[in-house]
Amino acid sequence: GQQVMQIPQYQHVQEGEDFTTYCNSSTTLSNIQWYKQRPGGHPVFLIQLVKSGEVKKQKRLTFQFGEAKKNSSLHITATQTTDVGTYFCAGGGSGYALNFGKGTSLLVTP
Amino acid sequence: DVKVTQSSRYLVKRTGEKVFLECVQDMDHENMFWYRQDPGLGLRLIYFSYDVKMKEKGDIPEGYSVSREKKERFSLILESASTNQTSMYLCASSSDGQIKYFGPGTRLTVT
């Protein structure tokens, strides 16, 4: 079945440094979603990408969907302590359900 | 601003007990999902439902069953709880392929 791999598993940065997490799928995705989960919380939807090569920005966050629709990335510019949490990607295929990556846990130290 | 609610935030049950986890959404969504989340394993799909009385197995359905008698409610049932079912359980709903809302989660401990 469809597999979504996410790297790195953990990332520790100093406040102000940039951060990137990557998702790769073994099959072509119809769309990809990104979520953020704060410690002790539940996943919160950030964005959906649908088009090949799509790039979307939300303030310091930049999301990209690859040309082949098999990979995606989330880049955070100049991290802040409020960015701490686990970032998940989830790929949509032909069915109703999403396949989640295992997430990247981001730790930001001041 | 209620979207997806789950009946309990924390639950402690004994091995062999029958456990019911309830999820309710107020967005009139057709699709509802149950995931479990474990450290290092991410979110894994247990079951989902695309309509009332319809259900589909996810990646890890063994030891679980579900019920969807009404559109807004999706129940996860552990027929005979075991210690390896200790986990965080997350319910979600969607109207298309986009899951925008998760419930707050139920942290279940089976002793």
Side-chain angles (χ1 to χ4, degrees):
Chain A
Q2 179 181 301
Q3 299 284 330
V4 176
M5 308 299 292
Q6 190 172 356
I7 56 169
Q9 188 175 2
Y10 302 100
Q11 187 79 58
H12 183 183
V13 300
Q14 292 286 114
E15 190 172 24
E17 293 181 339
D18 292 356
F19 160 78
T20 305
T21 174
Y22 302 89
C23 274
N24 291 289
S25 171
S26 56
T27 58
T28 302
L29 301 170
S30 58
N31 56 67
I32 195 156
Q33 276 75 220
W34 285 93
Y35 301 83
K36 177 183 178 181
Q37 185 174 23
R38 293 182 185 275
H42 58 275
V44 174
F45 174 81
L46 295 176
I47 207 160
Q48 183 190 53
L49 304 172
V50 179
K51 299 177 183 176
S52 169
E54 190 169 15
V55 178
K56 287 188 176 180
K57 292 191 175 185
Q58 291 179 349
K59 296 183 180 179
R60 295 178 294 104
L61 277 62
T62 302
F63 304 85
Q64 293 188 324
F65 201 10
E67 293 289 342
K69 300 182 75 172
K70 286 187 173 183
N71 56 75
S72 181
S73 65
L74 158 59
H75 179 82
I76 302 178
T77 303
T79 54
Q80 299 175 359
T81 54
T82 53
D83 295 325
V84 165
T86 301
Y87 293 85
F88 292 96
C89 63
S94 56
Y96 297 95
L98 299 176
N99 281 295
F100 281 79
K102 292 184 179 180
T104 297
S105 293
L106 173 63
L107 179 61
V108 181
T109 50
Chain B
D1 192 37
V2 171
K3 304 289 184 185
V4 181
T5 57
Q6 294 182 228
S7 50
S8 305
R9 290 300 304 274
Y10 301 94
L11 210 52
V12 180
K13 295 291 182 181
R14 293 191 181 276
T15 302
E17 279 193 84
K18 190 169 186 176
V19 182
F20 293 86
L21 303 182
E22 305 284 341
C23 175
V24 177
Q25 52 97 2
D26 64 0
M27 295 166 285
D28 201 37
H29 285 167
E30 291 81 16
N31 309 316
M32 296 186 75
F33 308 84
W34 275 107
Y35 287 89
R36 66 175 280 178
Q37 184 175 26
D38 302 286
L41 297 178
L43 280 77
R44 294 180 292 167
L45 181 64
I46 305 171
Y47 267 97
F48 67 97
S49 168
Y50 54 88
D51 202 351
V52 174
K53 297 191 185 295
M54 306 302 288
K55 60 185 179 184
E56 291 284 344
K57 293 180 180 179
D59 299 319
I60 51 164
E62 295 79 17
Y64 303 94
S65 62
V66 291
S67 172
R68 189 149 182 219
E69 296 296 318
K70 293 185 177 181
K71 190 175 186 180
E72 67 271 18
R73 188 180 299 269
F74 192 33
S75 302
L76 180 69
I77 304 152
L78 286 66
E79 297 290 343
S80 177
S82 63
T83 54
N84 63 14
Q85 293 178 309
T86 290
S87 187
M88 170 69 86
Y89 290 88
L90 290 161
C91 176
S93 71
S94 78
S95 59
D96 47 25
Q98 186 174 182
I99 294 180
K100 274 194 166 181
Y101 301 103
F102 280 86
T106 296
R107 186 167 295 282
L108 172 67
T109 302
V110 182
T111 61

